Amino acid sequence: THTHTHTNSLSLSLNMRSRNVDKVILSVEQGEGVGARVRRSIGRPELKNFDPFLLLDEFKVDKGAGFTTHPHRGFETVTFMLSGKFTHEDFCGHRGDIGPGDLQWMTAGRGIVHAEMPASDEQSHGLQLWVNLAAVDKMTEPKYQELRKDEIPRATKDGVSAVVIAGEALGIKSPVYTITPTTYLQFSMEPGATLEQQLPPTYNVFLYTLSGTLLVGPDKRAVEAHHTVTLTRSDDADGILLQAPPGSTAEFVLIGGQPHNEPIVQHGPFVMNSREQIMATFTDYEMGTNGFEGARGWHAEIDERLHA
């Protein structure tokens, strides 16, 4: 008689307790960089940050537009291309293209100056995530983890396809090393498919929907494309139940990370723990010191693609 009483709190398998929907926020398209269009998820006024995440942009950039020379300090930028191609060039001579399905996990740490510009005639479409670094890691040496599409693990099971950018899904693990413990998964679901994804209970977790309709949590909250969904966090919730309705596919990213629980002081591309550190960063950038050696007067060659 009581077999159905737990369906709201328990997912289909009795060993996973699902998180629920907390907030649902529409990402409205806005201008960014020079001529680029972005749908901002994390980082918009209603959701300034979601510890440890500072920003998630779904970007669309046509040839002749892009992100010209700019600095970063104190966090990581993660670029995942969905279609088209971007060229990345930094002030240490690191340059390369990021094509469809490719990943660049850039730890800016103490300082990177770079530009990101389209490399193809077709529109470039992708996602850029900013992951904050803990105070102890903010001044780490910059480094890159770059994976081509065929180097990123993928799996398909029961109508669910996963691209494992960081963390683990469907029994496969990403080789990407994350300084801040992070899960970053892209999923495509066939109509009617169900997914139970395990996640550490301590993580802050959100979804960003790319297309279709997704039913989130035990309550099956229907979410359309271009929405950010933050999930509840509790000690006994160790995953999330997700479904695609019978009449629709669903494509989305699921992103979670261990919060730092530290002060966040952000000034554009600099993210530190205090105003004093931000002021010091401006000085370092202007003087070319403490990680910004060689930054003074440097401009990426690819800036010239602007309006080309």
Side-chain angles (χ1 to χ4, degrees):
T1 56
H2 59 273
T3 50
H4 62 279
T5 53
H6 295 296
T7 49
N8 268 357
S9 58
L10 289 184
S11 68
L12 302 179
S13 66
L14 294 171
N15 59 1
M16 189 196 83
R17 193 176 281 263
S18 179
R19 295 176 183 236
N20 282 296
V21 172
D22 186 16
K23 293 181 182 143
V24 180
I25 299 163
L26 174 65
S27 294
V28 184
E29 199 170 61
Q30 65 186 61
E32 189 66 27
V34 183
R37 304 294 297 169
V38 304
R39 288 184 184 271
R40 184 151 294 166
S41 161
I42 309 295
R44 57 186 307 103
E46 309 97 299
L47 195 58
K48 259 329 228 188
N49 48 67
F50 190 55
D51 191 7
F53 306 108
L54 302 162
L55 176 137
L56 176 68
D57 278 349
E58 177 186 2
F59 61 83
K60 289 185 176 177
V61 187
D62 292 314
K63 188 181 177 185
F67 305 100
T68 53
T69 300
H70 59 277
H72 292 291
R73 174 182 277 179
F75 60 101
E76 302 183 285
T77 69
V78 183
T79 305
F80 181 60
M81 293 300 294
L82 299 168
S83 62
K85 190 187 279 189
F86 249 49
T87 302
H88 166 273
E89 180 190 348
D90 80 9
F91 74 147
C92 297
H94 185 94
R95 180 170 170 167
D97 287 345
I98 314 168
D102 293 350
L103 172 73
Q104 183 193 71
W105 198 295
M106 181 184 89
T107 304
R110 59 195 300 216
I112 283 275
V113 184
H114 73 159
E116 303 149 293
M117 301 291 286
S120 53
D121 289 340
E122 63 174 309
Q123 187 180 68
S124 296
H125 180 206
L127 297 168
Q128 188 169 91
L129 175 72
W130 290 11
V131 186
N132 201 9
L133 288 168
V136 67
D137 296 316
K138 282 194 177 292
M139 296 297 280
T140 191
E141 287 292 319
K143 72 164 187 286
Y144 293 93
Q145 296 177 81
E146 292 174 314
L147 278 74
R148 297 282 168 224
K149 181 178 179 177
D150 60 9
E151 297 173 308
I152 304 171
R154 294 161 182 270
T156 301
K157 185 181 173 187
D158 301 331
V160 179
S161 297
V163 180
V164 187
I165 297 165
E168 186 175 353
L170 303 185
I172 53 169
K173 280 184 178 167
S174 167
V176 170
Y177 171 73
T178 63
I179 298 174
T180 301
T182 305
T183 293
Y184 186 169
L185 310 167
Q186 183 196 24
F187 287 107
S188 300
M189 297 176 74
E190 296 296 324
T194 296
L195 167 68
E196 296 175 333
Q197 175 62 38
Q198 304 256 211
L199 295 155
T202 54
Y203 278 21
N204 274 333
V205 182
F206 74 100
L207 298 145
Y208 178 72
T209 51
L210 290 162
S211 67
T213 303
L214 182 64
L215 305 179
V216 184
D219 301 334
K220 300 187 180 182
R221 175 78 177 267
V223 182
E224 307 297 323
H226 310 303
H227 283 80
T228 301
V229 183
T230 59
L231 302 177
T232 56
R233 190 176 92 191
S234 63
D235 293 342
D236 64 346
D238 59 355
I240 179 66
L241 172 65
L242 300 162
Q243 293 173 280
S248 175
T249 57
E251 188 184 2
F252 59 97
V253 288
L254 176 64
I255 299 173
Q258 185 65 39
H260 297 304
N261 299 313
E262 293 177 349
I264 298 168
V265 182
Q266 178 171 356
H267 199 289
F270 303 141
V271 184
M272 302 300 286
N273 300 106
S274 70
R275 190 167 175 275
E276 291 71 28
Q277 290 171 341
I278 291 289
M279 300 309 283
T281 300
F282 272 104
T283 302
D284 287 341
Y285 182 53
E286 283 161 19
M287 303 301 289
T289 52
N290 294 320
F292 285 116
E293 289 79 6
R296 292 182 75 181
W298 181 84
H299 281 276
E301 277 180 26
I302 60 172
D303 282 1
E304 291 164 22
R305 291 181 189 175
L306 209 62
H307 312 305

